[in-house]
């Protein structure tokens, strides 16, 4: 006897507790809820259930710690030992998560695309595949996998939320907004659609509307996990900054963005990126950098991905933890040499890292030079357009302080043209003479 999950897909188990765990993982993954951990109990209930082991391993990898792969390994081994008992979809899931654990992201992506081709109702597989594409800057792939799943999920709000974000990252902003609003019409509490809508409004400079929209939807986030809760408030804080309300943004940092789960990588990234932006507009972070940096010092040798490392490095540098920042940069260099198949580390992350360390030391000309060298490949290190803008802003700030006005004016002109109603961009242009 077999059971079917919430998407109507067959699983190789007749144990209802296993089904509860698998559905709990999928629901939490799609809704950014707090039930993903139920899959650990499912793997314990039926140790030979391959899909439960695959998703339990994925949950460990989502933690983005240096020992995540080691924590995932027992689940992957248990799944591999029972692979011949699994259904084809379950086998593909295990192989895809194993590829992720092995840091073979192209293989993981290919396997997730295969799952979606064969089983388009498997939106968890689609979302994880889209996530891998996001982390390597493959917006076209993000859109491709969402469109492949769309016909089978026309009434599913989560599909339209994921489609909206892929469209936004592909610069198709009007279509992205339409998809996000359709998702919200299907289900108001669709936080990823809220997130995609925030991206559209941020890109178009609709900052007052963006802040109002997110504030009005924020009651939907109460049951979200820390990432989605803090990240949507992070977007609200960006709107507050661009609405010339930095004090409100600082209050959001203190009350909504930092403090939910200080040990989690994504919460740390949100905090670093927001504090840096607040400093750019003239606020004094006080002891907040030091409070944040104590959670970053344990991450000097993890190297889960360059996007994370660069945020850790910036947090350490701004806190004045120069020795730790130098150690992290050295470790990044050593890691980049061990991963010649991943040029983003060597060609993008290292120049940016050198620039960040120089910025922390107030060596403005050197910071400007190194940061500029890394910007060309910025899309390959992961993060959204809005998140990666942090590094452009660092480069501009270093350029102002180094007196490199002629070099930064073209970028300032582009930013002002793209978002002419944001007063900050006019002030930035004036600051460059």
């Amino acid at each position: 006897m077999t059971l079917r999950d919430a998407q109507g897909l067959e699983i190789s188990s007749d144990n209802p507790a296993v089904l509860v765990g698998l559905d709990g993982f999928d629901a939490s993954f799609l809704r950014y809820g707090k039930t993903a951990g139920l899959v650990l109990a499912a793997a314990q209930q039926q140790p030979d259930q391959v899909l439960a082991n695959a998703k339990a391993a994925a949950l460990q990898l989502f933690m983005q710690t240096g020992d995540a792969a080691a924590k995932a390994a027992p689940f992957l081994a248990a799944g591999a030992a029972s692979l011949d008992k699994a259904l084809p979809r379950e086998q593909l899931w295990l192989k895809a998560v194993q590829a992720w654990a092995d840091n073979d992201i192209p293989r993981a992506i290919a396997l997730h695309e295969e799952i979606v081709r064969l089983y388009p109702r498997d939106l968890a597989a689609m979302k994880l595949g889209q996530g891998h594409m996001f982390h390597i800057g493959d917006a076209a792939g993000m859109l491709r996998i969402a469109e492949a799943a769309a016909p089978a999920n026309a009434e599913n709000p989560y599909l339209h939320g994921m489609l909206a974000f892929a469209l936004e990252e592909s610069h198709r902003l009007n279509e992205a907004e339409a998809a996000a609003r359709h998702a919200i019409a299907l289900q108001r509490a669709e936080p990823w659609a809220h997130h995609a809508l925030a991206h559209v409004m941020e890109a178009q400079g609709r900052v007052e509307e963006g802040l109002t929209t997110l504030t009005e939807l924020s009651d939907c986030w109460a049951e979200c996990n820390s990432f989605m809760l803090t990240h949507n408030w992070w977007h609200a804080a960006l709107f507050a900054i661009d609405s010339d309300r930095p004090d409100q943004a600082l209050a959001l940092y203190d009350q909504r963005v930092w403090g939910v789960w200080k040990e989690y990588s994504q919460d740390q990234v949100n905090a670093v990126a927001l504090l840096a932006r607040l400093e750019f507009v003239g606020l004094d972070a006080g002891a907040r950098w030091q409070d944040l940096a104590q959670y970053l010092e344990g991450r000097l040798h993890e190297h889960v991905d360059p996007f994370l490392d660069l945020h850790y490095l910036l947090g350490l540098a701004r806190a004045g933890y120069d020795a730790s920042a130098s150690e992290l940069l050295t470790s990044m260099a050593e890691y980049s040499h061990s991963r010649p198949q991943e040029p983003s580390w060597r060609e993008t992350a290292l120049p940016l890292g050198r620039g960040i360390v120089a910025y922390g030391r107030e060596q403005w000309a050197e910071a400007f030079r190194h940061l500029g060298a890394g910007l060309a490949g910025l899309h390959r290190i992961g993060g959204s357009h809005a998140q990666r803008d942090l590094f452009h802003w660092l480069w501009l700030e270093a350029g102002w302080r180094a007196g490199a006005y002629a070099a930064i004016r073209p970028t300032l002109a582009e930013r002002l043209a793209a978002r002419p109603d944001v007063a900050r961009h006019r002030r930035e242009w004036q600051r460059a003479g």
Side-chain angles (χ1 to χ4, degrees):
M1 174 184 172
T2 58
L3 298 173
R4 291 186 179 272
D5 65 15
Q7 299 301 315
L9 297 166
E10 193 175 23
I11 65 168
S12 59
S13 178
D14 59 1
N15 187 335
V18 171
L19 182 61
V20 168
L22 290 172
D23 281 343
F25 176 90
D26 289 358
S28 184
F29 190 26
L30 296 173
R31 300 172 189 168
Y32 292 91
K34 301 175 183 178
T35 61
L38 292 175
V39 79
L40 300 175
Q44 292 173 345
Q45 281 277 335
Q46 189 176 337
D48 64 349
Q49 216 294 319
V50 169
L51 189 57
N53 279 297
K55 292 183 176 181
L59 182 60
Q60 302 302 322
L61 296 171
F62 278 125
M63 294 300 101
Q64 297 182 312
T65 60
D67 61 354
K71 289 181 176 179
F75 296 106
L76 292 169
S82 305
L83 199 60
D84 59 342
K85 302 177 184 177
L87 295 169
R89 181 176 71 97
E90 297 173 323
Q91 294 178 6
L92 288 169
W93 254 98
L94 189 82
K95 292 175 182 177
V97 178
Q98 181 66 67
W100 181 15
D102 293 338
N103 206 20
D104 189 349
I105 301 305
R107 174 167 167 75
I109 288 171
L111 287 162
H112 282 289
E113 290 204 272
E114 179 70 0
I115 295 170
V116 173
R117 184 182 70 81
L118 296 171
Y119 311 96
R121 293 280 294 176
D122 193 339
L123 287 183
M126 188 219 117
K127 188 169 184 66
L128 184 49
Q130 197 180 61
H132 290 318
M133 294 163 175
F134 174 72
H135 287 299
I136 61 170
D138 184 6
M142 291 171 62
L143 186 56
R144 181 177 65 246
I145 198 170
E147 289 177 335
N153 298 277
E155 298 306 314
N156 190 303
Y158 306 117
L159 178 281
H160 293 285
M162 290 184 278
L163 179 62
F165 187 55
L167 286 164
E168 186 278 327
E169 289 296 292
S170 301
H171 303 284
R172 292 164 59 174
L173 299 182
N174 292 336
E175 293 168 87
E177 180 166 357
R181 291 194 181 280
H182 183 57
I184 296 166
L186 290 171
Q187 179 176 290
R188 181 172 176 271
E190 210 301 78
W192 196 242
H194 306 166
H195 168 259
L197 190 57
H199 272 269
V200 171
M201 292 178 175
E202 191 274 341
Q204 295 176 333
R206 295 156 59 188
V207 295
E208 293 287 353
E209 183 185 1
L211 183 56
T212 299
T213 298
L214 288 186
T215 302
E216 290 176 348
L217 291 168
S218 63
D219 63 286
C220 299
W221 311 334
E223 298 305 315
C224 286
N225 60 33
S226 72
F227 163 69
M228 195 78 268
L229 175 64
T230 61
H231 191 64
N232 274 350
W233 279 117
W234 180 86
H235 275 284
L238 298 197
F239 287 131
I241 289 172
D242 285 340
S243 300
D244 284 341
R245 285 177 269 184
D247 289 337
Q248 183 178 352
L250 184 62
L252 288 174
Y253 175 93
D254 289 334
Q255 299 166 16
R256 303 290 189 180
V257 174
W258 181 238
V260 178
W261 188 6
K262 291 186 176 184
E263 295 78 12
Y264 187 41
S265 60
Q266 293 298 328
D267 289 39
Q268 293 165 2
V269 164
N270 286 331
V272 168
L274 181 52
L275 268 193
R277 285 169 166 86
L278 286 166
E279 283 195 333
F280 294 152
V281 295
L283 265 69
D284 182 358
R288 291 177 180 86
W289 281 121
Q290 287 71 35
D291 173 51
L292 175 53
Q294 65 181 308
Y295 293 92
L296 307 179
E297 282 201 293
R299 296 187 174 275
L300 305 184
H301 304 282
E302 290 186 345
H303 313 310
V304 174
D305 70 41
F307 180 79
L308 295 178
D309 271 16
L310 290 168
H311 281 78
Y312 303 154
L313 192 58
L314 179 58
L316 293 167
R318 293 305 303 132
Y321 287 32
D322 186 68
S324 294
S326 296
E327 184 177 345
L328 173 52
L329 182 60
T330 298
S331 186
M332 285 173 62
E334 293 170 351
Y335 183 79
S336 73
H337 293 309
S338 73
R339 305 292 298 180
Q341 72 276 29
E342 297 177 36
S344 60
W345 281 98
R346 182 180 64 258
E347 297 173 6
T348 303
L350 278 181
L352 291 173
R354 293 183 183 113
I356 287 169
V357 170
Y359 189 98
R361 295 170 178 166
E362 300 186 355
Q363 297 168 342
W364 307 121
E366 185 175 353
F368 181 68
R369 176 169 60 86
H370 285 303
L371 288 165
L375 291 181
L378 194 56
H379 65 285
R380 297 186 301 183
I381 69 167
S384 65
H385 300 309
Q387 288 175 309
R388 294 194 302 267
D389 188 58
L390 171 65
F391 301 103
H392 288 282
W393 208 346
L394 272 171
W395 174 75
L396 289 169
E397 188 69 24
W400 278 311
R401 293 172 182 260
Y405 302 135
I408 64 176
R409 281 194 194 106
T411 298
L412 294 172
E414 290 174 6
R415 292 160 80 86
L416 181 57
R419 305 199 311 162
D421 294 330
V422 178
R424 170 171 64 81
H425 294 317
R426 292 193 293 275
R427 292 195 297 273
E428 290 169 346
W429 175 257
Q430 293 164 359
R431 182 181 175 188

